[in-house]
Amino acid sequence: MVHARQSEGCAMEFFDRVHDDHRAFIAKQPVFFVATAAEGTRINCSPKGMDSFRILDDATVAYLDLGGSGNETQAHLAADGRITIMFCAFDNPALILRIYGRGRAVLPQDEGFAPLAAHFDLLPGTRQIFVIDVDSLQTSCGWGVPRMTIENERRTLVKYHAQQKPEAYLATMATRTQSIDGLPVRPQTEVVA
């Protein structure tokens, strides 16, 4: 199903599943943005990269998440479930693609992690995989997004995690049991990469 709305030449369309042209566009993008929230919390928006996004089927997507400074996405999804993922072209043709859905975290210790992990090249610091059931997709013109070129992928986070001993990494993860707004977070208990 496609719904289109046009405003002064800039068309917006809604889709109920991932189409082949969406797959091709997503595959070309070096970065995507993830937004979540739960009642009474701050809205979280995080940039992601490192070839960490996968389309599992036309109604399911997933991304690999590495340990970082916080775990707001996991906390928000456990409390609310809603998630928006945005891709935008920084080259031509201009386009913005948003995926609206409901997500969940699958940690290395969870049943079902191994089959999901097979879709990714696991990286040092792999903390969880977020699986998103797609409610809808929206495309829009993206004419307001600047044209930029990517110089290279930052490897700092992967290098940082690669230098850590698994016991020290898990000890750190064990202390991260709350979001910045006090929502519960399930800590990782197994190291996979």
Side-chain angles (χ1 to χ4, degrees):
M1 179 182 342
V2 177
H3 302 285
R5 206 179 302 163
Q6 190 154 349
S7 171
E8 297 181 27
C10 186
M12 176 183 8
E13 294 183 279
F14 282 89
F15 305 85
D16 60 359
R17 62 185 177 86
V18 180
H19 292 265
D20 288 343
D21 56 334
H22 303 141
R23 287 176 185 267
F25 174 76
I26 289 168
K28 289 176 34 181
Q29 306 316 311
V31 65
F32 61 98
F33 302 86
V34 176
T36 57
E39 187 174 342
T41 68
R42 291 166 248 229
I43 298 168
N44 187 60
C45 183
S46 297
K48 304 292 178 183
M50 297 187 276
D51 188 33
S52 59
F53 191 86
R54 298 291 182 270
I55 299 169
L56 303 181
D57 59 47
D58 65 0
T60 316
V61 299
Y63 73 90
L64 185 70
D65 180 64
L66 276 61
S69 57
N71 202 351
E72 302 310 298
T73 302
Q74 188 202 104
H76 291 167
L77 292 180
D80 182 274
R82 294 176 302 149
I83 186 168
T84 300
I85 299 171
M86 184 183 77
F87 293 88
C88 53
F90 295 108
D91 57 3
N92 282 329
L95 184 70
I96 296 172
L97 184 146
R98 292 178 182 89
I99 298 173
Y100 301 101
R102 301 196 68 78
R104 63 191 181 283
V106 181
L107 281 69
Q109 66 264 22
D110 293 346
E111 187 176 328
F113 182 84
L116 282 171
H119 293 276
F120 298 91
D121 293 326
L122 297 181
L123 300 168
T126 294
R127 174 171 57 184
Q128 59 207 339
I129 297 171
F130 288 108
V131 179
I132 297 96
D133 297 321
V134 175
D135 290 333
S136 64
L137 282 84
Q138 176 208 19
T139 58
S140 58
C141 64
W143 294 344
V145 176
R147 290 184 61 205
M148 297 186 284
T149 57
I150 185 167
E151 185 176 319
N152 58 36
E153 209 45 90
R154 263 185 234 270
R155 303 301 296 172
T156 311
L157 186 60
V158 171
K159 286 180 184 177
Y160 169 77
H161 286 303
Q163 295 170 5
Q164 286 193 313
K165 293 189 181 338
E167 304 80 26
Y169 173 80
L170 289 177
T172 300
M173 292 296 115
T175 66
R176 297 183 178 171
T177 59
Q178 287 189 337
S179 72
I180 59 175
D181 292 310
L183 293 177
V185 171
R186 286 192 311 131
Q188 177 182 355
T189 60
E190 292 180 19
V191 175
V192 294

